[in-house]
Amino acid sequence: MKTEFDKIAEEAGNAELAAWAAKVKAANEEIVTFVGQKLRTNVPGEFVQYLQGSYNVNLVISFGTEDTVIIRFPKRGITAAKFLEEKVRNEVRFLEYLAEKTVIPVPKIRDWGTAKESPSQLSPYIIMDYIEGTELSELLQQLQDDHKEAEVDLVYEQIADYMLQISRLHFSAIGPVNKDTSGAWTVTDRPLTTNMNNLASVVTDYPVDQFPKVAFTSTQAFLHYRADENLLHLQVQRNLAHSTQDAEKCFIARHRFKQLIERFYPPSEADNGPFIPYCHDLRPKNMLARYEEGSLKIVAVLDFEYVNTMPAQFAYDPPWWLAMVSPGLMLEKFALEDFEALYVPRLEQFLRAMARAEAKQKPSQQKEAISLASRMLDSWASKRFWFNHGIRKGWDVDVVYWSALHEPGDEELSGDLEREMSLIAEKKMEQLAAYEAECDARGIAQSG
C-alpha cells in the first residue's frame, strides 16, 4: 500500500518555493557581496553555481584563488516556516559538535544567522567551506556495477568508522545537541524531526501545537509519542487512505506499531539512556569523495539537518541505504523478499567492514562490551531494524508493518478498537470525498 502527501498542501508549498526561488535569483549579487563581507575579504566574489538539495539550496561563491564557499538556505515552502530558524540552529550546533568530538570530515562553518540577518531577509543561512568531490553514491554504484568489491569494502570501512565514532557520543536526553552557557554540550530542546516538518508542511491543518515542547528523557515516552503522532496523522490527512480497506489497514498498522514498542524496547534501565545522535541521512548521497593515491577517499560528509540524539538502538541499526534504494519505496512496489535479495548480501559485506573498523580501534576506544557489528546483526535478525524504520517515518509505517512485521492473526482487534476503526474508516471516506472535490475545483491532478 502507498501513502502520499496532501497534494493541496504540496502545491501551496511548491508555489511558495517558486516565488522564493525567484527572490534568491534576483538577490544573487547581493548574496555574493554579503558573503564577501562576512568573510572579510577584499577579493571580489563571483557566483559559480547552485547546488540543489531536497530541503536546501546552496550557492557556490568563489573569491578567486583565495577562497570558495557555499551559502546554504533552507527552502521556503519545503521547510515549514515555523521551523526555519530551529532547523538551521540545530544543524549548525551539530556540525560544530562533530568537528570538536570526532574526525568525521565535515565542512567548516564560517558564519551563520537568522532570516532577518540574511540578504533580502531570504532565509536563515549557513556559510561553510566548499569541498571539491564527487557524490559518493555515483562512485559507489559504479564500483558495484563493475564488481570492484575490494574498493566497495574500503568505502564501507570508512563509513563504518564514522558510525563507530558517532555511537560513542552519549547523552541523557532525546533532542538536538546544543551548547549551554558554560560551553558544555547538552540536550534540552525538543527533537525536531523530518516527520514533524512533513506533517507541518504537506498535511493541511495538522495540529502543530501537539508537537513536543521539550526534550524527552525516556525512550518509552518518546516512542509512544511517535506512535501517537502516527495515529493523529491518520485522523488528519484527508487523502491518507483511498478506500475503506486502506483506512482499516492504516488503523491496524499504526495501532500495532504502538503495541510493538514493549516487544522491541522492553522497559529497563536503558529507558533513560544513553541516547546517541542518529543521522538518518548519513549515506553516500550526502558524502563527497575523490581518488587520492589510487584509493577512493571520502572527503566530506554533508547534510546533518534534523539530527537528534535518539534511543541508542537507532544508532545500532545497520545502514538502511545499503541496497541503494529506500526500504519504504522498495516495499511499496515489490515484496519484502525482493528487498532482502538486494540488501542482505550488502549487509553481510558491511558488517565485515564494521568488524575490521572495530579491530582497528585503539584500546582506549574499545569500551563497548558488545561490538557494533554484533548489535547491527541483532537489529536485522530481530526485525528491530524494521520497527525503528517505521516508527521514524510516518509515511512508511503502514507498508513496513504489513510487509515486514505483520504476523497472521495480528489484525484481530478488541471490540472497542473494532468500533473505533469502523468510525475512522467512515470518517476517512468522508474526508477523501471532500478532498477530491477540492482538488477538482482547484484543478489539481490526483494519484492513488
Side-chain angles (χ1 to χ4, degrees):
M1 60 187 301
K2 179 182 180 182
T3 53
E4 58 189 35
F5 289 162
D6 178 326
K7 299 294 184 186
I8 296 171
E10 194 172 24
E11 288 228 346
N14 288 340
E16 182 183 355
L17 173 61
W20 178 79
K23 289 182 180 179
V24 173
K25 188 173 182 180
N28 262 21
E29 289 187 17
E30 181 186 354
I31 294 170
V32 171
T33 301
F34 172 83
V35 172
Q37 292 170 345
K38 289 296 181 181
L39 297 181
R40 298 180 180 178
T41 178
N42 294 321
V43 178
E46 179 184 1
F47 168 75
V48 178
Q49 63 175 322
Y50 292 107
L51 297 174
Q52 297 283 353
S54 298
Y55 292 95
N56 307 280
V57 63
N58 305 285
L59 285 75
V60 180
I61 299 172
S62 172
F63 295 90
T65 57
E66 183 175 303
D67 211 354
T68 302
V69 298
I70 66 169
I71 181 168
R72 172 181 171 95
F73 297 105
K75 293 177 176 178
R76 291 185 179 268
I78 302 298
T79 300
K82 69 187 279 69
F83 294 150
L84 285 166
E85 310 281 352
E86 190 177 354
K87 177 181 107 74
V88 168
R89 182 184 67 247
N90 290 353
E91 182 170 13
V92 166
R93 291 301 182 219
F94 191 66
L95 278 165
E96 292 173 341
Y97 176 72
L98 282 183
E100 181 179 314
K101 299 294 184 180
T102 75
V103 292
I104 297 171
V106 296
K108 180 182 178 182
I109 294 176
R110 312 288 283 275
D111 189 63
W112 69 284
T114 66
K116 288 183 178 179
E117 298 167 319
S118 72
S120 295
Q121 298 189 349
L122 287 168
S123 209
Y125 69 91
I126 308 173
I127 300 173
M128 61 180 77
D129 285 348
Y130 171 75
I131 301 172
E132 288 278 359
T134 302
E135 193 176 282
L136 179 60
S137 57
E138 297 177 12
L139 298 171
L140 184 57
Q141 187 65 65
Q142 190 61 54
L143 291 177
Q144 292 177 349
D145 291 345
D146 293 342
H147 304 290
K148 294 183 177 180
E149 298 303 329
E151 293 186 51
V152 173
D153 286 341
L154 293 175
V155 171
Y156 279 4
E157 201 170 310
Q158 291 174 72
I159 298 174
D161 179 64
Y162 304 155
M163 297 184 76
L164 265 176
Q165 292 182 55
I166 291 171
S167 73
R168 301 188 198 109
L169 308 174
H170 291 186
F171 289 85
S172 59
I174 293 172
V177 175
N178 209 337
K179 230 175 194 176
D180 65 19
T181 53
S182 71
W185 293 103
T186 185
V187 172
T188 56
D189 298 331
R190 68 167 179 193
L192 176 62
T193 64
T194 307
N195 209 70
M196 289 165 59
N197 179 72
N198 290 344
L199 289 171
S201 58
V202 290
V203 176
T204 304
D205 297 329
Y206 186 90
V208 296
D209 60 324
Q210 296 195 35
F211 286 143
K213 305 294 192 297
V214 296
F216 290 86
T217 55
S218 157
T219 294
Q220 290 279 322
F222 173 72
L223 294 176
H224 276 87
Y225 163 76
R226 277 292 302 118
D228 288 338
E229 189 178 83
N230 285 336
L231 287 165
L232 183 55
H233 178 200
L234 170 61
Q235 292 191 41
V236 174
Q237 187 178 333
R238 295 184 295 171
N239 67 324
L240 194 68
H242 289 272
S243 68
T244 299
Q245 183 184 32
D246 273 356
E248 291 176 347
K249 292 187 76 172
C250 289
F251 183 91
I252 293 169
R254 290 165 192 241
H255 275 277
R256 285 300 182 215
F257 251 90
K258 188 169 183 177
Q259 293 165 351
L260 285 171
I261 291 172
E262 276 67 31
R263 170 181 159 189
F264 289 103
Y265 289 84
S268 67
E269 291 181 8
D271 185 54
N272 298 317
F275 304 109
I276 298 173
Y278 179 71
C279 312
H280 175 76
D281 262 354
L282 187 71
R283 55 179 173 140
K285 187 167 181 60
N286 292 326
M287 299 176 186
L288 300 177
R290 57 176 179 255
Y291 281 94
E292 295 183 357
E293 299 177 355
S295 180
L296 188 59
K297 182 178 180 182
I298 299 171
V299 293
V301 183
L302 312 169
D303 285 0
F304 289 97
E305 58 198 353
Y306 302 114
V307 169
N308 299 279
T309 59
M310 286 284 167
Q313 291 88 340
F314 285 21
Y316 300 156
D317 286 341
W320 60 266
W321 50 263
L322 290 173
M324 304 296 276
V325 64
S326 163
L329 186 62
M330 185 79 178
L331 294 182
E332 284 177 2
K333 299 179 178 180
F334 304 99
L336 176 64
E337 292 76 16
D338 296 314
F339 176 79
E340 290 175 339
L342 291 174
Y343 186 84
V344 171
R346 292 301 176 188
L347 171 62
E348 293 170 348
Q349 185 176 11
F350 186 84
L351 293 182
R352 291 192 295 270
M354 176 61 75
R356 292 194 300 274
E358 290 185 291
K360 291 179 181 179
Q361 292 181 105
K362 298 175 183 177
S364 61
Q365 297 171 323
Q366 296 173 348
K367 299 176 181 178
E368 297 291 336
I370 304 173
S371 73
L372 188 51
S374 295
R375 291 184 188 276
M376 288 181 169
L377 181 59
D378 176 70
S379 171
W380 176 256
S382 68
K383 294 193 174 182
R384 195 183 66 235
F385 169 91
W386 287 112
F387 175 84
N388 288 349
H389 185 84
I391 204 73
R392 285 195 306 267
K393 295 178 71 67
W395 274 264
D396 285 356
V397 62
D398 308 301
V399 71
V400 165
Y401 172 75
W402 288 106
S403 298
L405 295 174
H406 171 69
E407 295 179 3
D410 281 354
E411 65 275 8
E412 299 295 328
L413 300 174
S414 67
D416 288 345
L417 283 180
E418 282 280 1
R419 286 188 288 275
E420 184 182 347
M421 181 172 70
S422 179
L423 293 172
I424 288 288
E426 183 178 345
K427 176 183 176 183
K428 296 313 295 179
M429 294 305 95
E430 292 171 358
Q431 289 178 333
L432 182 64
Y435 169 82
E436 290 177 338
E438 187 174 346
C439 284
D440 289 341
R442 292 170 177 262
I444 297 174
Q446 301 167 60
S447 60

